[in-house]
Amino acid sequence: MWYAVRISNLVLFFSMPSPTPVTDDAAARRLIAFAQHLLAVVFGLLPIFFVPSVVAPFAYSKVLFVIIGTLLALILYGFGALRSGFANVRLSWPVVALWLIALIALASALLSGDVRDALIGEAFEVHTALFAALLALVSSAWFVLGSNRSAVLRLFMLLAGSTLALSAFHLARLFFGAGVFSFLPLFAGDATLSPFGGWNDLGIFFGLAI
């Protein structure tokens, strides 16, 4: 079986002992399409995803949600590529630069005085080395899986729904008081806490949405 890996303008072919590639395989197409839609669902629901427990920080639960969803999507894509016998990997230079930054951050963390905090912090904070690696992995996943019109439309629809849900949540707390969602212990004591995370993060998200 011949495998083709295309990186930017460079195409690499390597062979493995197997029958002729099956490029028009319905099961492979379904696996790849499901992986694309899974990635769209993960990032479409990410703004409103949280674990309703005080022992699960927002950042940690969201990062874990992204890691699991991205790895599952890549595994499904890998199964589809193995079945069809063809893998088309397109990486842009910005993605390569992200991986270089992740490698530099990893080397810096390993050489630092506090390796654990530099690698993962308390809950995979944005300044940690593994978070930089996660950004590179997610960016690579979008390029590897390619574009699917229905998956992109689903992503936009879910993002719009997440934005409306966040708006309704904060408007309800604004007009009916911060205790309107007292059945959720996470939001009982802080009027500025959001399912998206911090108040500043929420403002940036709404700015991007607008």
Side-chain angles (χ1 to χ4, degrees):
M1 183 178 294
W2 282 91
Y3 286 86
V5 178
R6 180 178 301 147
I7 301 177
S8 188
N9 294 325
L10 178 64
V11 181
L12 302 178
F13 292 92
F14 57 95
S15 61
M16 296 184 65
S18 65
T20 305
V22 182
T23 56
D24 189 18
D25 187 275
R29 290 198 305 271
R30 285 195 294 268
L31 283 170
I32 294 173
F34 188 79
Q36 293 168 332
H37 284 280
L38 176 61
L39 208 59
V41 169
V42 167
F43 286 93
L45 296 179
L46 184 62
I48 58 174
F49 175 83
F50 67 95
V51 177
S53 172
V54 294
V55 298
F58 285 111
Y60 181 78
S61 59
K62 288 180 183 294
V63 168
L64 192 61
F65 183 56
V66 170
I67 290 175
I68 294 174
T70 303
L71 290 180
L72 284 177
L74 289 175
I75 289 171
L76 290 172
Y77 178 83
F79 286 150
L82 286 173
R83 184 175 177 88
S84 66
F86 181 80
N88 188 3
V89 181
R90 300 177 181 178
L91 296 180
S92 67
W93 287 113
V95 176
V96 175
L98 278 177
W99 278 112
L100 289 176
I101 293 172
L103 289 175
I104 293 171
L106 178 61
S108 176
L110 294 176
L111 295 174
S112 67
D114 192 346
V115 176
R116 182 186 180 280
D117 284 341
L119 281 176
I120 62 175
E122 293 295 329
F124 290 100
E125 287 86 355
V126 296
H127 58 271
T128 58
L130 287 186
F131 190 85
L134 178 61
L135 288 178
L137 176 65
V138 168
S139 301
S140 301
W142 282 103
F143 274 92
V144 168
L145 267 65
S147 60
N148 181 310
R149 178 176 297 179
S150 60
V152 172
L153 289 175
R154 176 168 293 182
L155 172 63
F156 287 156
M157 291 176 62
L158 288 173
L159 280 176
S162 297
T163 304
L164 291 175
L166 280 175
S167 301
F169 175 86
H170 287 288
L171 286 174
R173 298 190 83 192
L174 176 65
F175 288 107
F176 301 108
V180 66
F181 296 107
S182 58
F183 57 91
L184 294 174
L186 277 173
F187 306 105
D190 192 346
T192 61
L193 198 59
S194 168
F196 189 79
W199 197 247
N200 292 333
D201 299 330
L202 180 68
I204 294 173
F205 173 74
F206 276 126
L208 292 173
I210 292 172

PDB file of all heavy atoms in Angstrom, residues 5 10 12 28 55-56 59 70 107 113 128 177 179:
ATOM      1  N   VAL A   5       2.003  11.519   1.885  1.00  0.00           N
ATOM      2  CA  VAL A   5       1.907  12.560   2.899  1.00  0.00           C
ATOM      3  C   VAL A   5       2.365  13.852   2.259  1.00  0.00           C
ATOM      4  O   VAL A   5       3.504  13.971   1.817  1.00  0.00           O
ATOM      5  CB  VAL A   5       2.782  12.232   4.131  1.00  0.00           C
ATOM      6  CG1 VAL A   5       2.681  13.367   5.132  1.00  0.00           C
ATOM      7  CG2 VAL A   5       2.314  10.930   4.767  1.00  0.00           C
ATOM      8  N   LEU A  10       5.445  20.101  -0.292  1.00  0.00           N
ATOM      9  CA  LEU A  10       6.284  18.919  -0.364  1.00  0.00           C
ATOM     10  C   LEU A  10       5.409  17.681  -0.243  1.00  0.00           C
ATOM     11  O   LEU A  10       4.588  17.567   0.659  1.00  0.00           O
ATOM     12  CB  LEU A  10       7.319  18.938   0.764  1.00  0.00           C
ATOM     13  CG  LEU A  10       8.251  17.726   0.864  1.00  0.00           C
ATOM     14  CD1 LEU A  10       9.121  17.627  -0.371  1.00  0.00           C
ATOM     15  CD2 LEU A  10       9.107  17.822   2.118  1.00  0.00           C
ATOM     16  N   LEU A  12       5.488  13.583   0.117  1.00  0.00           N
ATOM     17  CA  LEU A  12       6.316  12.431   0.439  1.00  0.00           C
ATOM     18  C   LEU A  12       5.488  11.169   0.245  1.00  0.00           C
ATOM     19  O   LEU A  12       4.348  11.090   0.692  1.00  0.00           O
ATOM     20  CB  LEU A  12       6.819  12.506   1.883  1.00  0.00           C
ATOM     21  CG  LEU A  12       7.624  13.744   2.271  1.00  0.00           C
ATOM     22  CD1 LEU A  12       7.986  13.666   3.749  1.00  0.00           C
ATOM     23  CD2 LEU A  12       8.885  13.851   1.429  1.00  0.00           C
ATOM     24  N   ALA A  28     -14.287   4.594   4.971  1.00  0.00           N
ATOM     25  CA  ALA A  28     -13.216   5.558   5.228  1.00  0.00           C
ATOM     26  C   ALA A  28     -13.753   6.983   5.159  1.00  0.00           C
ATOM     27  O   ALA A  28     -13.398   7.828   5.996  1.00  0.00           O
ATOM     28  CB  ALA A  28     -12.082   5.366   4.220  1.00  0.00           C
ATOM     29  N   VAL A  55     -14.589  21.354  42.418  1.00  0.00           N
ATOM     30  CA  VAL A  55     -13.261  20.730  42.395  1.00  0.00           C
ATOM     31  C   VAL A  55     -12.712  20.603  40.978  1.00  0.00           C
ATOM     32  O   VAL A  55     -11.605  20.099  40.794  1.00  0.00           O
ATOM     33  CB  VAL A  55     -13.302  19.332  43.063  1.00  0.00           C
ATOM     34  CG1 VAL A  55     -13.697  19.453  44.511  1.00  0.00           C
ATOM     35  CG2 VAL A  55     -14.256  18.396  42.321  1.00  0.00           C
ATOM     36  N   ALA A  56     -13.480  21.037  39.980  1.00  0.00           N
ATOM     37  CA  ALA A  56     -13.038  20.969  38.587  1.00  0.00           C
ATOM     38  C   ALA A  56     -12.963  22.387  38.030  1.00  0.00           C
ATOM     39  O   ALA A  56     -13.988  22.939  37.624  1.00  0.00           O
ATOM     40  CB  ALA A  56     -13.995  20.112  37.757  1.00  0.00           C
ATOM     41  N   ALA A  59     -10.797  26.043  33.498  1.00  0.00           N
ATOM     42  CA  ALA A  59      -9.709  25.870  32.542  1.00  0.00           C
ATOM     43  C   ALA A  59      -9.350  24.403  32.390  1.00  0.00           C
ATOM     44  O   ALA A  59      -9.160  23.906  31.272  1.00  0.00           O
ATOM     45  CB  ALA A  59      -8.495  26.679  32.986  1.00  0.00           C
ATOM     46  N   THR A  70      -9.977  16.197  20.444  1.00  0.00           N
ATOM     47  CA  THR A  70      -8.998  16.274  19.360  1.00  0.00           C
ATOM     48  C   THR A  70      -8.330  14.930  19.112  1.00  0.00           C
ATOM     49  O   THR A  70      -8.160  14.510  17.960  1.00  0.00           O
ATOM     50  CB  THR A  70      -7.929  17.328  19.684  1.00  0.00           C
ATOM     51  OG1 THR A  70      -8.563  18.599  19.902  1.00  0.00           O
ATOM     52  CG2 THR A  70      -6.935  17.468  18.541  1.00  0.00           C
ATOM     53  N   ALA A 107      11.460  22.570  26.182  1.00  0.00           N
ATOM     54  CA  ALA A 107      12.862  22.570  26.601  1.00  0.00           C
ATOM     55  C   ALA A 107      13.077  23.527  27.764  1.00  0.00           C
ATOM     56  O   ALA A 107      13.793  23.215  28.725  1.00  0.00           O
ATOM     57  CB  ALA A 107      13.750  22.942  25.413  1.00  0.00           C
ATOM     58  N   GLY A 113      13.669  25.510  37.090  1.00  0.00           N
ATOM     59  CA  GLY A 113      13.815  25.023  38.459  1.00  0.00           C
ATOM     60  C   GLY A 113      12.600  24.277  38.968  1.00  0.00           C
ATOM     61  O   GLY A 113      12.701  23.459  39.871  1.00  0.00           O
ATOM     62  N   THR A 128       1.684  27.502  30.365  1.00  0.00           N
ATOM     63  CA  THR A 128       2.453  26.279  30.547  1.00  0.00           C
ATOM     64  C   THR A 128       2.916  25.718  29.204  1.00  0.00           C
ATOM     65  O   THR A 128       2.358  26.037  28.140  1.00  0.00           O
ATOM     66  CB  THR A 128       1.616  25.217  31.271  1.00  0.00           C
ATOM     67  OG1 THR A 128       0.427  24.953  30.510  1.00  0.00           O
ATOM     68  CG2 THR A 128       1.217  25.699  32.652  1.00  0.00           C
ATOM     69  N   GLY A 177     -30.552  38.888  39.314  1.00  0.00           N
ATOM     70  CA  GLY A 177     -29.621  38.738  40.422  1.00  0.00           C
ATOM     71  C   GLY A 177     -28.676  37.567  40.217  1.00  0.00           C
ATOM     72  O   GLY A 177     -28.976  36.613  39.489  1.00  0.00           O
ATOM     73  N   GLY A 179     -27.938  35.266  42.169  1.00  0.00           N
ATOM     74  CA  GLY A 179     -28.374  34.015  42.770  1.00  0.00           C
ATOM     75  C   GLY A 179     -29.406  33.260  41.979  1.00  0.00           C
ATOM     76  O   GLY A 179     -29.941  32.264  42.478  1.00  0.00           O
TER      77      GLY A 179
END
